[in-house]
Amino acid sequence: MAETKGVLLPAYVVADESGSMGPYQQELSHGLASLCEGLRAEPMIAAKLRLAVLGFSDDVQVRLAVADMRTETTLPQLTIRGLTAYGAVFDDLLSRIPADVQWLRDQGYKVHRPVVFFLSDGQPTDRGSWQRPHARLTDKSQTPTAPNIIACGIGDAQAATMVKVATRPEFAFVAKAETDIGQAISEFFHSLTASLVASGHALNSGSPQLVVNRPDQFTMAIDEV
Amino acid sequence: MTTPSRGGAAGPPPPMHPQVHAPMPPPPESAPWLRIPVGTPGPEFEARPPGQYAYDYPDTECDGWSTPDLTLRFASVRGAKHRYYRQPRQDAARAAAHEPTGAIVFAVADGVSSAASSELGAVEACRAALERLLHLLSRGPERVDLQDVAHHAAQRLRQITRWRLNGKDPEPGEVAALHATTLIAGTVRPDRDGCLVELFRIGDSGAWTLDAGRARYAPLFATKTGSDAVVVSNEVAPLPRVPDPLEQISVRLTEHQTLLVGTDGFADPLGDGDGQVGALFAGQLAAPPPPLWFAHLLDFSRETFDDDRTLLAVWPRTAVRPR
C-alpha cells in the first residue's frame, strides 16, 4: 500500500429544513456562509477536513457534497420544505458515510472517524422509527465508519431526544429556553466552526479527542434530561 | 573559550574517511535550503516565534557523531502548524555514547499537544531516560531493564509537576495535563555478532530498520498508518502511564541496515515506506548525511503533514561511512 496523501476528517452538517425553520432561513444561510469563510481563513486546518452539508426534511438532499473548503467556491443553500423525518437522516448516512470514506481512501487518504453536526428545531415526525437506523449507524461493529454525532436542538427539539441522537451525552446540546432561535442558529454555526478548527489542530498531533465546543446560547442536553 | 581536546577518556577519535564509499543519490531538485517538496507541498510562510517563554525549544535541533562502531544522526524540527500558530516544538530527542560498552543510548519523545507544557515533558522524559540508560549500562551492561527506564522517566514527569505545583504531590491526571508525552528509548550495542538494538515505546512513536539498498522499511512496532483499518485513530496512552507489560523490541542490525526511530510526524507521511517520502529517505540515508542536511531532509514539505517531526538514525560503521 502506497504512502498516504494525508489523514482527513470528514465532517457532515445536517440541518433541519422542515417548515418550522422557515422564519430562520436567513440565519441558516448566514451561518453556513460564516462556516465556509471561517474554514477558508484557516487553510492549514481546512486542508485536513472535508465538509458536506445535507438538508433534511421528509428526505435528505445534498447541499454540498464532500468538499475541500480551500477551493470550494459555491455556497450551500438550504431549502425550507416538509416535515422532520429523523429516520431519513440516519438511513441516508448509513450508505453515504461508508461510500464517502471509501472514496477518500481511494483518493489515497487515511480517514479519521467522521463527525456529524446535527441541527434540528423539532421533534421527529417519524416518531421512534428513526432509532433503528440510528442504532445501526452508530454501532461500530455493524458500521466500521460509525460517526461521532453532535446534536444541537433548538425550538421544539427536546433535550432527551438530542441525548438519544448524540453519540455521547456530552455531545448533546439544547438552546436555552430564553434564547432567540435565530441567534441560536448563529451560535450553532459559530461553535461548529470553532469545533472543526480545534479538531483540525488536534488531528495528527496525538491529542486523543474530537474537540466539541458548546455553543454560547446552549446548555448540555444531559443537564436538561 | 575552551580548547578542543583530542583523545581523553573517550580514546582517540574514529579514523577520518576522506572519501564517500556508499553511493549517494543527488539531492532533490530544489534551491538550497528551501524546504524539499514531496508530492503536493504545504503552504510556505515565515515561521512565527513561539510564546516568549518558549526560548528553550528552538525551531530545529540536530546532532551527529560517530563512535568507533556506530554513526548517529538525529534531528527534531517544528511542524508547520506550530510554526504558524506560534507554538513551540513539542518533540524532543537526545542521544549519548556509553563509552565503556561502545553503546549508543537514545530517546525520542512527542509531547501530547493537549498537555499544557508537553514540550518540557518531552525533553525531561528524554533526559531521564538517557540518565537511567547510562546508569544501568554501567551497573550491569549485560542487560538493561527497560521497564525501570520507563518508570524513571515517568517519575521525572511527576517531579517536574510537583515543582510546578509548588510541592503538592500531583495526581496522575495532573501530571498528564501538564507534561504528557510519548517516549521511545533504548540502546544500540555493538557486540561480537554485530549490533544489538533494544528499545521500548510508550505511545505511538515508531521504529524501523531501513535496508536502504532495497528501499525497504521494516517496522519494529505496529504502525497506525500501516494498518488497513477503515478509520484511523490518533489515540495514544502516553507517559506518565507506564503499561505493564511494556512494549519492547530486541533486534539485530545487519551491516546493511539502519535503525530509524521517529515520532508520528515522520511516521505518518512515511506510511509503509513505499511512497515518495520512503524513497526520499531511503536514497538520502544510504550513508549518514551531514547532520544539518539530515535536519533539512526531515523538514520536507508535504500537504496536510504539519506535525513536529523527529527522526533518529543509527548506522553500523562496518558497512557505510559518513559523508
Side-chain angles (χ1 to χ4, degrees):
Chain A
M1 182 179 177
E3 71 191 338
T4 176
K5 285 164 71 178
V7 189
L8 300 180
L9 174 67
Y12 296 81
V13 178
V14 180
D16 191 340
E17 294 185 327
S18 63
S20 54
M21 293 289 275
Y24 313 110
Q25 189 162 16
Q26 194 175 8
E27 283 84 356
L28 284 168
S29 296
H30 286 165
L32 277 174
S34 70
L35 171 65
C36 296
E37 284 167 16
L39 293 177
R40 266 193 283 275
E42 297 281 359
M44 212 178 305
I45 304 295
K48 291 186 267 189
L49 301 174
R50 292 295 182 270
L51 184 71
V53 178
L54 308 174
F56 81 94
S57 169
D58 301 309
D59 61 6
V60 170
Q61 295 191 7
V62 179
R63 304 306 179 198
L64 178 70
V66 173
D68 182 342
M69 297 311 290
R70 297 172 300 169
T71 52
E72 183 62 42
T73 53
T74 58
L75 200 57
Q77 300 289 338
L78 298 175
T79 303
I80 303 302
R81 61 207 172 83
L83 300 174
T84 312
Y86 281 19
V89 173
F90 304 116
D91 272 331
D92 180 90
L93 294 177
L94 262 172
S95 56
R96 181 178 305 282
I97 288 179
D100 285 349
V101 169
Q102 189 57 49
W103 181 74
L104 291 171
R105 282 165 56 89
D106 290 345
Q107 304 287 306
Y109 294 100
K110 299 272 184 186
V111 182
H112 285 289
R113 187 165 298 288
V115 57
V116 172
F117 294 89
F118 179 91
L119 174 69
S120 176
D121 80 329
Q123 284 294 96
T125 50
D126 50 350
R127 297 182 181 275
S129 63
W130 60 273
Q131 294 187 32
R132 186 182 291 264
H134 176 274
R136 218 176 118 207
L137 175 69
T138 54
D139 180 350
K140 291 173 189 168
S141 65
Q142 293 187 73
T143 309
T145 54
N148 290 306
I149 301 178
I150 291 100
C152 286
I154 55 179
D156 293 336
Q158 292 177 6
T161 309
M162 292 302 109
V163 170
K164 284 181 185 164
V165 171
T167 44
R168 290 164 56 173
E170 61 269 34
F171 287 176
F173 304 97
V174 286
K176 293 173 185 167
E178 70 277 13
T179 303
D180 172 79
I181 292 180
Q183 189 184 350
I185 291 170
S186 300
E187 290 293 346
F188 168 79
F189 281 103
H190 179 75
S191 164
L192 167 54
T193 309
S195 295
L196 286 176
V197 169
S199 297
H201 276 296
L203 298 181
N204 305 340
S205 68
S207 187
Q209 290 180 348
L210 174 72
V211 182
V212 177
N213 292 349
R214 181 176 60 81
D216 276 351
Q217 304 301 323
F218 286 69
T219 55
M220 276 177 59
I222 189 153
D223 294 335
E224 305 282 316
V225 178
Chain B
M1 183 175 160
T2 55
T3 306
S5 64
R6 295 183 66 81
M16 302 291 283
H17 299 283
Q19 292 181 346
V20 172
H21 295 278
M24 181 179 78
E29 290 181 10
S30 67
W33 302 108
L34 290 180
R35 296 180 76 201
I36 299 164
V38 179
T40 304
E44 281 300 326
F45 56 90
E46 177 67 7
R48 304 168 76 206
Q52 59 188 340
Y53 294 110
Y55 49 77
D56 265 343
Y57 311 98
D59 181 275
T60 301
E61 282 184 301
C62 66
D63 200 1
W65 34 259
S66 290
T67 66
D69 299 301
L70 302 165
T71 292
L72 170 117
R73 300 287 185 264
F74 80 69
S76 182
V77 301
R78 188 158 62 127
K81 188 175 58 191
H82 288 164
R83 285 173 177 163
Y84 186 83
Y85 288 104
R86 301 203 57 187
Q87 292 169 319
R89 176 169 48 88
Q90 295 166 346
D91 275 7
R94 293 290 184 270
H98 182 257
E99 289 160 6
T101 59
I104 286 179
V105 301
F106 61 85
V108 166
D110 179 354
V112 174
S113 60
S114 55
S117 299
S118 64
E119 62 277 9
L120 177 61
V123 169
E124 287 298 329
C126 286
R127 283 181 178 149
L130 249 62
E131 288 165 10
R132 197 64 180 169
L133 283 164
L134 290 168
H135 171 75
L136 293 176
L137 265 180
S138 293
R139 206 170 65 177
E142 62 285 346
R143 182 180 169 273
V144 172
D145 182 350
L146 296 179
Q147 191 96 26
D148 179 307
V149 176
H151 281 292
H152 190 76
Q155 180 62 21
R156 177 67 56 84
L157 297 190
R158 281 190 284 275
Q159 285 170 352
I160 61 172
T161 306
R162 188 179 302 124
W163 295 331
R164 179 80 169 265
L165 299 179
N166 297 318
K168 172 184 174 291
D169 265 338
E171 299 292 327
E174 292 176 304
V175 180
L178 282 171
H179 298 121
T181 182
T182 74
L183 178 65
I184 183 165
T187 64
V188 186
R189 280 189 275 182
D191 61 17
R192 217 177 296 167
D193 301 318
C195 273
L196 178 64
V197 178
E198 292 174 292
L199 72 170
F200 72 91
R201 76 162 176 180
I202 296 171
D204 62 354
S205 294
W208 305 259
T209 55
L210 166 63
D211 185 336
R214 292 191 297 163
R216 195 170 149 204
Y217 297 79
L220 302 183
F221 297 104
T223 58
K224 61 180 180 182
T225 54
S227 74
D228 286 330
V230 179
V231 293
V232 300
S233 166
N234 58 4
E235 291 193 23
V236 294
L239 280 176
R241 180 173 167 269
V242 177
D244 185 15
L246 194 63
E247 203 176 359
Q248 302 184 43
I249 290 288
S250 176
V251 65
R252 275 197 175 279
L253 277 187
T254 69
E255 64 179 75
H256 299 294
Q257 287 180 328
T258 306
L259 171 70
L260 301 181
V261 180
T263 59
D264 59 354
F266 171 75
D268 287 348
L270 177 71
D272 294 342
D274 51 2
Q276 296 176 76
V277 173
L280 172 69
F281 281 85
Q284 293 293 313
L285 302 187
L292 289 173
W293 181 251
F294 186 85
H296 181 66
L297 280 174
L298 190 63
D299 195 16
F300 63 86
S301 178
R302 182 162 173 77
E303 186 183 52
T304 83
F305 291 104
D306 54 16
D307 199 4
D308 298 337
R309 295 189 196 127
T310 299
L311 182 64
L312 180 143
V314 178
W315 291 259
R317 297 191 81 221
T318 48
V320 292
R321 302 301 182 201
R323 301 197 289 259

